[in-house]
Amino acid sequence: MENTIVVYSSRYGATRRYAEELAKRLQVKAVDYRKVNLSYQYDSIIYLGAMYAGGVKGLKDTMKKLSDVSQTNIMVITVGITDPTNLENQESIRKAIKEQMSPKVFAKMQIFHLRGAIDYKRFKLLDKLLMRTVYKKVSKMPEEERTPQIRALMETYGQTVDFVDFSRLDKIIAQINKNV
């Protein structure tokens, strides 16, 4: 594990919590994507990214920092408010990631999903306005047209919920150990 790095993007803290716990368990360092130097050739890069505005925050910028991905294992772990065990959610997230990546990088990625947290009281003004606009729009949709992501947004809107579960890292760590 010594040639592995955990890189993360966190909007309000849930992804950072997962990244720090994963790094602690793997005995490697966790670095915010804005501060990471990827000029060093890592064997494995584990990127934990907050789902934000239909994409994975910071993922594209981080992958651009890699000069050579041919010898690097890349794992992407998304953290969002929707249920990551729902296959429709997984497919939607994979599609968002694929749109952010070159086909070469996307083909190398292993992708996992974790459920995060949300606290509307901590939102910045722009995020509050964005969420209110989205909520108003989707609340007018007929129930049968609402995706699992839309239902999760509606169920958690304006609330504080925390679905962070460190035991979910066990499966990811098992896969990391298998790759070594």
Side-chain angles (χ1 to χ4, degrees):
M1 287 301 135
E2 70 183 56
N3 202 11
T4 297
I5 188 169
V6 172
V7 181
Y8 67 90
S9 69
S10 189
R11 189 79 177 170
Y12 288 99
T15 307
R16 179 185 44 77
R17 288 166 44 206
Y18 275 124
E20 289 173 350
E21 180 65 20
L22 180 61
K24 183 173 103 180
R25 291 184 187 190
L26 295 175
Q27 298 178 347
V28 299
K29 64 181 176 177
V31 181
D32 184 293
Y33 82 103
R34 295 167 293 192
K35 299 175 183 173
V36 71
N37 176 0
L38 294 177
S39 59
Y40 175 79
Q41 184 65 42
Y42 289 97
D43 293 331
S44 297
I45 296 172
I46 304 166
Y47 187 87
L48 285 88
M51 294 300 300
Y52 185 74
V56 182
K57 182 174 173 42
L59 179 61
K60 187 174 184 176
D61 292 338
T62 301
M63 292 300 118
K64 284 181 184 177
K65 293 178 183 180
L66 290 172
S67 56
D68 179 21
V69 297
S70 63
Q71 301 299 313
T72 305
N73 294 316
I74 301 171
M75 181 178 286
V76 174
I77 305 167
T78 67
V79 180
I81 202 65
T82 60
D83 180 1
T85 62
N86 180 292
L87 295 178
E88 190 178 337
N89 286 341
Q90 290 177 18
E91 189 54 39
S92 176
I93 294 167
R94 287 185 69 78
K95 183 179 176 191
I97 293 170
K98 189 173 186 176
E99 290 172 0
Q100 289 182 280
M101 297 294 100
S102 72
K104 180 180 176 183
V105 174
F106 182 77
K108 289 187 57 74
M109 290 181 173
Q110 291 182 315
I111 302 172
F112 292 88
H113 315 286
L114 296 170
R115 200 157 191 199
I118 197 164
D119 182 353
Y120 280 83
K121 290 182 290 232
R122 293 185 55 212
F123 273 25
K124 296 174 183 165
L125 179 60
L126 185 59
D127 292 336
K128 286 180 182 179
L129 293 172
L130 174 67
M131 291 304 288
R132 183 173 35 165
T133 302
V134 171
Y135 181 80
K136 283 182 178 184
K137 179 180 177 184
V138 299
S139 64
K140 295 174 184 173
M141 291 176 72
E143 180 65 37
E144 62 275 5
E145 292 180 20
R146 295 178 184 167
T147 65
Q149 294 95 330
I150 290 171
R151 285 192 292 279
L153 179 145
M154 295 188 72
E155 291 167 6
T156 60
Y157 181 75
Q159 299 181 38
T160 299
V161 292
D162 190 339
F163 299 109
V164 172
D165 179 359
F166 291 149
S167 71
R168 297 276 185 184
L169 294 173
D170 296 341
K171 178 181 171 186
I172 295 168
I173 291 169
Q175 184 62 44
I176 292 167
N177 289 332
K178 197 190 252 187
N179 292 344
V180 175

